[in-house]
Amino acid sequence: MGKTSPAIPTTRIISVSIPVSDQERAKQYYCDVLGFDLLVDKELWQGARLIEVGLPGSDVVLLLLDERGEIPVGVRMGVVDSDAAHRVIKQHDSSVRDEVLRLEFAPPMFEFTDPDGNVLVYIEDPAAGVPES
């Protein structure tokens, strides 16, 4: 089966988030039991704690997110141009946010769902460049 050119060239999987009921307990489990390194543990805003853990040599990190929190639980992927990707996704998917989110502490991004309702997030990743065909 041949591969066709995608409408949006996704550059990489950045992170996969896992919903947890107790972030501190999850952090201890992933780091102390499973051997992950703690990469980030900070409160982005009141009630939005971001915990990132990763394995040496892996480019993909796990986000341990409060299942009741404001940060969307899903797969985060890189894209070179978030505005262009948003336009394409909006043509095919009514679940996409109305606009690209621009925060002071993060690159431009937007959230949408796949046909089965799984949350996906595109994050602008210009350093990755366009992947080779």
Side-chain angles (χ1 to χ4, degrees):
M1 205 172 186
K3 186 173 179 182
T4 60
S5 293
I8 303 166
T10 302
T11 58
R12 65 189 175 115
I13 296 174
I14 296 170
S15 64
V16 176
S17 48
I18 298 173
V20 300
S21 60
D22 181 326
Q23 286 180 294
E24 193 60 34
R25 183 181 69 200
K27 177 178 80 169
Q28 289 174 343
Y29 180 78
Y30 278 86
C31 293
D32 298 343
V33 176
L34 301 182
F36 281 71
D37 293 330
L38 178 63
L39 304 174
V40 174
D41 184 352
K42 67 180 176 181
E43 189 170 55
L44 300 178
W45 60 83
Q46 181 70 31
R49 182 178 177 192
L50 175 68
I51 298 177
E52 281 186 7
V53 296
L55 292 171
S58 177
D59 292 334
V60 179
V61 300
L62 298 181
L63 303 180
L64 307 176
L65 299 178
D66 185 331
E67 63 190 5
R68 302 166 307 272
E70 296 180 20
I71 302 172
V73 173
V75 177
R76 287 159 176 75
M77 303 172 294
V79 67
V80 174
D81 183 340
S82 59
D83 291 310
H86 184 267
R87 285 190 297 274
V88 171
I89 294 292
K90 195 153 180 78
Q91 291 174 355
H92 298 280
D93 188 348
S94 61
S95 73
V96 69
R97 286 182 173 253
D98 286 336
E99 57 188 46
V100 173
L101 184 61
R102 298 177 194 286
L103 304 169
E104 290 180 27
F105 54 84
M109 66 182 80
F110 66 93
E111 174 187 337
F112 59 104
T113 59
D114 71 8
D116 292 305
N118 298 300
V119 175
L120 303 172
V121 179
Y122 263 143
I123 299 174
E124 193 159 299
D125 189 22
V130 178
E132 292 181 26
S133 317

